[in-house]
Amino acid sequence: MAAISSLSLKTPTKIQSLTKTHYSIPLNLPFSCRSKSKRTGSIGSRTRIRCGLLIEPDGGKLVELFVEESQRELKREDALKLPKIKLTKIDLEWVHVLSEGWASPLKGFMREDEFLQTLHFNSIRLEDGSVVNMSVPIVLAIDDSQKNLIGGSTSVALVDDENNPTAILSDIEIYKHNKEERIARTWGTTAPGLPYVDEAITHSGDWLIGGDLKVIDPVKYNDGLDRFRLSPAELRDEFTRRNADAVFAFQLRNPVHNGHALLMTDTRRRLLEMGYKNPVLLLHPLGGYTKADDVPLHWRMKQHEKVLEDGVLDPETTVVSIFPSPMHYAGPTEVQWHAKARINAGANFYIVGRDPAGMSHPLEKRDLYDADHGKKVLSMAPGLERLNILPFRVAAYDKTKNAMAFFDPSRPQDFIFISGTKMRTLAKNKESPPDGFMCPGGWKVLVEYYDSLAAAENGRVAEPVAS
């Protein structure tokens, strides 16, 4: 993949002034190269941050959980003497998330009090009485044999699939993993077929282990994309370097089309109208676990690259980076986590669309969540009061302009809504979408991806080679 430095936006959607809820306005797209920085972000606790001051991380400081470089070998030796817990791929993604401070002020996998507050309140109360949002449990499951192996030890080593020490969890607490309660309160249903549940919970252990985490080496995937995995501290440094006085974040797990670009550029225009001088877009594709029918990360990043190469977004005002969190598909509950994590990365505006983090009901022919509940919940969620929520207007293909435009209900006959299903069908059949729906380079990548699916043997999907 060519080196994509960074990205930006240009025109349309509408921002309301903030009242008792923390609403504002719309949406998306960016890239930046990784720098090595220890900066933990700066000051500013108000919703509207100006003059280069970034919004404070939750709890007042970014909590990074790395072992000092000079101590790594010593800690590696210590880890070899401890009881070991082997991490799954999703466990390792959570270690990554915790280690870089995305979940600040968490200091490790949740102990029981943090777990219960997360499940029942979608927030955690800190020692000073303040509340931070935390809507999805970040927990580590173990089974009976692992619990017995730990015995009376107060620390455990977390190891990768080759038994290499990844981290040490200390001052541990082991408590019951009530899976049904966790699933019901996170997803609002216990219906079979929830992707994350099937992947990470159903067959996991009946105990949870929490404690203070120290990660020996920063998590790397060696997949050609590590340079795009900017930590919150690195993103804050990048925004400061660019003299950003507002940062608006857009998360996606799908290919970018021109409707997204319209929403993103419109957001920047509206922020400029509000008086900001240099709003910067954080285009932040989700890079952790996703369900089987989502476009894989490598292909999405290649598609985003083509979108940038075709000039759809401006690299001067856009930063593209990968968000390492796994995807739950837990709708209004999960979207709070997505928003909260971006505060820790320095964003003070968050773009939210229709049915964020949603999915189809696993058993019935309907969406699992109400399409508007995500943005409504974000506007009221405890601990997110400092974040401006930007709900975007609906974009569709305008036949009179041969381009994506904001839907005009006075002339519905002029618009075509191209669903994700329709887009996938066109790409699989190597058919072209209407001119102006997606840049040609980006569409070509999608066609190549679905072509690779058809040709794949034994269910294995070919991946584009990152250059």
Side-chain angles (χ1 to χ4, degrees):
M1 182 182 292
I4 311 170
S5 57
S6 60
L7 251 233
S8 163
L9 317 174
K10 302 174 188 169
T11 23
T13 288
K14 192 162 185 177
I15 307 186
Q16 306 158 311
S17 56
L18 305 182
T19 58
K20 288 187 179 178
T21 60
H22 27 299
Y23 257 137
S24 228
I25 150 177
L27 179 56
N28 223 113
L29 261 145
F31 273 98
S32 180
C33 287
R34 192 167 190 110
S35 65
K36 243 193 172 155
S37 144
K38 289 287 183 189
R39 189 169 145 47
T40 56
S42 55
I43 351 169
S45 59
R46 307 223 176 261
T47 0
R48 304 180 93 189
I49 309 300
R50 295 179 180 273
C51 305
L53 296 180
L54 299 177
I55 189 171
E56 278 190 348
D58 273 348
K61 67 177 182 179
L62 202 59
V63 179
E64 293 183 311
L65 304 175
F66 298 113
V67 172
E68 291 289 336
E69 195 165 356
S70 62
Q71 297 294 309
R72 285 178 186 169
E73 285 309 313
L74 180 62
K75 289 298 181 183
R76 218 183 308 277
E77 292 174 11
D78 290 344
L80 294 173
K81 304 169 189 173
L82 296 172
K84 296 174 180 57
I85 296 174
K86 185 168 286 190
L87 299 171
T88 67
K89 183 179 178 181
I90 289 179
D91 291 336
L92 184 63
E93 290 170 356
W94 283 123
V95 168
H96 185 178
V97 165
L98 289 165
S99 69
E100 291 186 340
W102 295 101
S104 295
L106 280 188
K107 297 179 180 179
F109 284 105
M110 291 177 175
R111 296 182 173 90
E112 188 175 33
D113 62 338
E114 295 164 326
F115 174 67
L116 291 175
Q117 288 182 75
T118 298
L119 277 191
H120 294 275
F121 309 133
N122 285 355
S123 60
I124 293 176
R125 188 171 296 279
L126 306 183
E127 289 181 0
D128 64 1
S130 63
V131 169
V132 297
N133 191 272
M134 183 57 68
S135 62
V136 298
I138 301 179
V139 292
L140 181 60
I142 58 173
D143 58 25
D144 289 341
S145 63
Q146 290 171 312
K147 180 175 181 288
N148 292 335
L149 179 67
I150 293 167
S153 178
T154 59
S155 298
V156 296
L158 307 183
V159 301
D160 64 17
D161 56 4
E162 296 179 351
N163 289 318
N164 298 312
T166 296
I168 293 175
L169 198 64
S170 59
D171 193 16
I172 61 173
E173 177 185 342
I174 297 174
Y175 56 100
K176 194 69 179 172
H177 186 189
N178 188 331
K179 298 178 187 178
E180 183 177 25
E181 179 186 23
R182 177 184 173 188
I183 295 165
R185 295 202 68 90
T186 303
W187 282 269
T189 179
T190 56
L194 299 168
Y196 186 92
V197 171
D198 290 346
E199 186 73 21
I201 299 179
T202 301
H203 303 293
S204 66
D206 292 332
W207 304 93
L208 296 174
I209 180 170
D212 296 333
L213 184 71
K214 282 294 181 182
V215 176
I216 297 170
D217 291 299
V219 175
K220 301 290 183 185
Y221 299 85
N222 300 314
D223 57 358
L225 299 177
D226 282 331
R227 69 189 185 277
F228 297 115
R229 293 183 174 97
L230 302 181
S231 70
E234 290 167 332
L235 285 168
R236 285 173 170 271
D237 277 348
E238 181 66 16
F239 299 143
T240 299
R241 186 186 69 80
R242 294 181 186 224
N243 294 316
D245 60 353
V247 176
F248 57 110
F250 177 69
Q251 171 174 298
L252 70 170
R253 55 182 172 85
N254 294 305
V256 173
H257 57 64
N258 290 348
H260 295 138
L262 172 65
L263 294 161
M264 291 184 282
T265 55
D266 186 67
T267 298
R268 187 166 196 273
R269 179 176 69 82
R270 297 294 182 174
L271 290 172
L272 290 169
E273 288 179 354
M274 290 171 67
Y276 292 99
K277 303 300 182 186
N278 188 31
V280 170
L281 168 67
L282 172 59
L283 180 62
H284 218 193
L286 186 133
Y289 162 80
T290 54
K291 55 189 174 69
D293 61 349
D294 281 352
V295 177
L297 179 63
H298 271 92
W299 288 96
R300 283 186 278 131
M301 294 298 284
K302 189 172 180 66
Q303 193 268 349
H304 298 348
E305 175 188 12
K306 294 301 180 184
V307 167
L308 301 183
E309 285 180 0
D310 285 2
V312 176
L313 295 168
D314 177 4
E316 292 302 314
T317 56
T318 305
V319 175
V320 178
S321 180
I322 295 171
F323 179 46
S325 176
M327 187 75 190
H328 281 64
Y329 306 92
T333 297
E334 184 176 17
V335 74
Q336 295 174 66
W337 157 242
H338 294 164
K340 173 247 170 51
R342 277 35 181 253
I343 292 176
N344 288 330
N348 55 333
F349 289 87
Y350 185 78
I351 300 161
V352 59
R354 179 191 178 279
D355 195 21
M359 59 172 281
S360 297
H361 193 285
L363 299 179
E364 303 171 15
K365 291 185 177 181
R366 62 178 177 87
D367 289 338
L368 185 54
Y369 305 106
D370 184 290
D372 292 328
H373 282 184
K375 64 185 178 184
K376 289 179 179 178
V377 167
L378 279 185
S379 74
M380 303 178 287
L384 295 182
E385 293 84 3
R386 297 180 300 138
L387 186 66
N388 296 316
I389 305 304
L390 310 176
F392 58 66
R393 292 160 58 192
V394 176
Y397 187 79
D398 187 340
K399 294 182 289 184
T400 67
K401 298 179 180 178
N402 293 325
M404 297 297 288
F406 293 118
F407 179 69
D408 182 351
S410 69
R411 49 185 186 93
Q413 70 281 357
D414 293 335
F415 289 87
I416 301 173
F417 288 90
I418 301 175
S419 67
T421 301
K422 175 67 172 174
M423 182 175 69
R424 287 190 292 271
T425 301
L426 290 171
K428 286 176 184 176
N429 295 335
K430 299 184 181 180
E431 299 175 23
S432 297
D435 290 343
F437 172 73
M438 184 183 290
C439 66
W443 184 256
K444 185 172 183 288
V445 172
L446 266 193
V447 171
E448 289 173 357
Y449 164 63
Y450 285 108
D451 195 39
S452 77
L453 275 184
E457 294 179 1
N458 301 321
R460 288 192 293 179
V461 179
E463 291 188 345
V465 177
S467 58

